[in-house]
Amino acid sequence: TTSDKNPVTRRLNRLAGRLLIAMAREAGQVGSFIVYRPAYWFAESPTVCRRTRWSRMTRRLERCGLVQRQVDCSRDRVRKVAVTQTGWRWVIENCGPGAVLPLESL
């Protein structure tokens, strides 16, 4: 059970959470579209397996309403992503504002 003061946020697996935090950190604000570059955000080589996992997690984040994707018209390749208000709230509630905001603004 939950009270009105303490809403339960959706639980994400570790990779989905890391991906959402990386997107929010890169964007810096709600609704700002950024180039989709998970290999750069995580400083990892983009192997086929990793690309598949990142893509699957991004689709899952979109289904949860945490991000918005811009894809190519002819296929489902992600070009840009934006963190929604719900996604931003998830990051703040689960990680604190220091996870995405510069320390000067806290």
Side-chain angles (χ1 to χ4, degrees), residues 25-87:
R25 208 175 267 158
E26 184 77 16
Q29 63 183 359
V30 175
S32 177
F33 278 94
I34 56 168
V35 177
Y36 180 71
R37 304 184 302 178
Y40 174 76
W41 300 331
F42 298 135
E44 297 176 356
S45 59
T47 63
V48 172
C49 179
R50 285 180 179 151
R51 278 193 218 123
T52 303
R53 288 178 65 218
W54 294 329
S55 181
R56 190 180 321 119
M57 287 303 118
T58 304
R59 278 193 305 274
R60 188 171 293 162
L61 289 171
E62 184 180 44
R63 279 194 308 271
C64 294
L66 302 173
V67 299
Q68 217 178 351
R69 300 181 313 145
Q70 283 184 351
V71 296
D72 285 346
C73 295
S74 59
R75 53 191 189 167
D76 195 33
R77 174 174 275 177
V78 180
R79 292 296 178 191
K80 292 184 177 186
V81 291
V83 179
T84 64
Q85 182 68 42
T86 305

